[in-house]
Amino acid sequence: MSLPLDGMSAIVTGAGRGLGRAEALELAGLGAAVVVNDYGQPGRDGSGEASATPAEEVAEEIRAAGGRAVAHLGDVSDHEQARALVELAVDTYGKLDILVNNAGILRDRMIFSMTEDEWDSVIRVHLKGHFNTTHFAAAHWRTRSKESGGPVHGRIVNTSSEAFLAGSAGQPNYAAAKGGIVGLTTSTALALARYGVTANVICPRARTRMTEDVFAGFQEPADGRLDALAPEHVAPLVGYLASPAAAKVNGQLLVVHGGMVAIVERPRVAAKFDSSKETFSFDELDELISPYYEDRPPNETFAAAEVLGLKRG
């Protein structure tokens, strides 16, 4: 019996632990050969000595279960190392079909206390890291499509966060990077659709090394049931989006956690005001807009997120 991803190859970045590990195992279980990428630094802030051990352990776990996997120690925020990552997949498996971008770090600080390096490092790993791998994967698929004279199977699954959707006061760098990833994804989806490639973005909620503070008050079940915040709740959606079954799902933002998937619409106009003259005056804007907000919550974006049961993550 064939599996949904038989004959395909995938890259999963940040796959040595947490969400990335669960996603790599899911793709392998669905039949894909996987390149397990992880820079292997022990600190969630990107500190510590890089190590191939996390990636190698996950690759070995896949092979022990009968799958195919190779490990890659590389920093995806480095353009040339991202190139080498995509080349490894192509050289090892003959082609690349799936790219799952998951690598990231945290350097939390309030906006008035954040340093330039804390801003730059998070933007570099998350946003530039997503761009780097996407750039080389996209070039690979475009070339293959031109050579074959038709569409190819290409899938990108990027990782954003509810910090982008609902705000996160102590994470301006992280929230900005995750918002940028959404923009990168929708642009990529439009650019690559003609080649048969889709690009989608997920906002996962899961208990990982990066979210241990956020979910510190949520205890894991003691009766053996699967933790509602387990990464294993997220991985099946990634497997689906990577498959031929999701060919019509493109440029979408999906929130996923604990047995729930929510498809998020693009922003819609909530109110519209027209000037009574050639252009607005200050007084006219005050008369039109101020009353609109008088009876509304002070942070309506967060209030709207709460309707979906979404909170900081």
Side-chain angles (χ1 to χ4, degrees):
M1 179 178 177
S2 63
L3 295 170
L5 303 182
D6 273 347
M8 299 184 190
S9 69
I11 290 172
V12 183
T13 72
R17 305 177 179 91
L19 275 171
R21 172 183 172 275
E23 292 161 354
L25 293 174
E26 178 74 15
L27 295 180
L30 292 174
V34 183
V35 178
V36 180
N37 162 265
D38 201 286
Y39 201 35
Q41 292 174 303
R44 64 177 184 169
D45 61 352
S47 63
E49 193 72 28
S51 170
T53 301
E56 288 174 345
E57 288 180 345
V58 175
E60 177 54 35
E61 190 173 355
I62 291 172
R63 291 191 294 266
R68 294 181 296 160
V70 294
H72 177 266
L73 169 65
D75 179 1
V76 294
S77 71
D78 182 287
H79 203 59
E80 290 307 309
Q81 292 187 49
R83 181 201 301 272
L85 172 59
V86 172
E87 289 177 348
L88 175 62
V90 175
D91 292 344
T92 304
Y93 301 121
K95 60 185 173 65
L96 173 66
D97 301 289
I98 301 156
L99 171 64
V100 180
N101 283 308
N102 187 67
I105 63 170
L106 290 178
R107 293 192 180 178
D108 295 351
R109 193 89 64 182
M110 298 296 284
I111 187 65
F112 41 77
S113 302
M114 182 163 287
T115 67
E116 182 180 15
D117 180 66
E118 288 167 341
W119 173 271
D120 288 347
S121 61
V122 169
I123 297 295
R124 184 181 67 251
V125 174
H126 287 272
L127 185 52
K128 187 184 177 185
H130 274 60
F131 160 75
N132 284 342
T133 54
T134 297
H135 167 76
F136 292 112
H140 168 70
W141 289 320
R142 181 172 178 263
T143 298
R144 279 177 51 200
S145 177
K146 288 190 171 185
E147 290 174 349
S148 67
V152 299
H153 180 96
R155 298 287 185 267
I156 300 171
V157 182
N158 287 333
T159 306
S160 183
S161 169
E162 292 170 76
F164 147 72
L165 277 174
S168 183
Q171 297 181 304
N173 49 3
Y174 182 72
K178 291 305 189 182
I181 287 168
V182 175
L184 170 66
T185 305
T186 55
S187 175
T188 301
L190 290 173
L192 299 186
R194 63 166 66 181
Y195 305 115
V197 178
T198 67
N200 293 288
V201 59
I202 63 172
C203 291
R205 188 189 303 178
R207 192 192 307 276
T208 69
R209 183 177 57 146
M210 287 184 63
T211 61
E212 57 188 10
D213 294 341
V214 177
F215 299 125
F218 296 85
Q219 299 302 315
E220 298 183 46
D223 57 4
R225 290 178 298 132
L226 182 63
D227 183 2
L229 295 171
E232 287 75 15
H233 286 295
V234 175
L237 177 61
V238 174
Y240 165 73
L241 293 174
S243 75
K248 293 185 178 181
V249 184
N250 193 27
Q252 299 299 298
L253 171 63
L254 304 99
V255 176
V256 54
H257 62 84
M260 185 281 293
V261 174
I263 300 172
V264 180
E265 290 186 333
R266 292 171 187 254
R268 293 182 294 173
V269 175
K272 182 176 177 291
F273 306 99
D274 295 309
S275 172
S276 61
K277 299 180 180 179
E278 184 176 4
T279 188
F280 284 107
S281 68
F282 174 89
D283 289 338
E284 186 179 18
L285 288 170
D286 183 29
E287 290 172 2
L288 291 171
I289 298 177
S290 295
Y292 176 78
Y293 284 102
E294 281 182 359
D295 298 323
R296 293 181 176 272
N299 190 339
E300 194 169 30
T301 301
F302 184 73
E306 284 188 317
V307 173
L308 282 176
L310 311 178
K311 296 183 180 179
R312 179 174 176 263

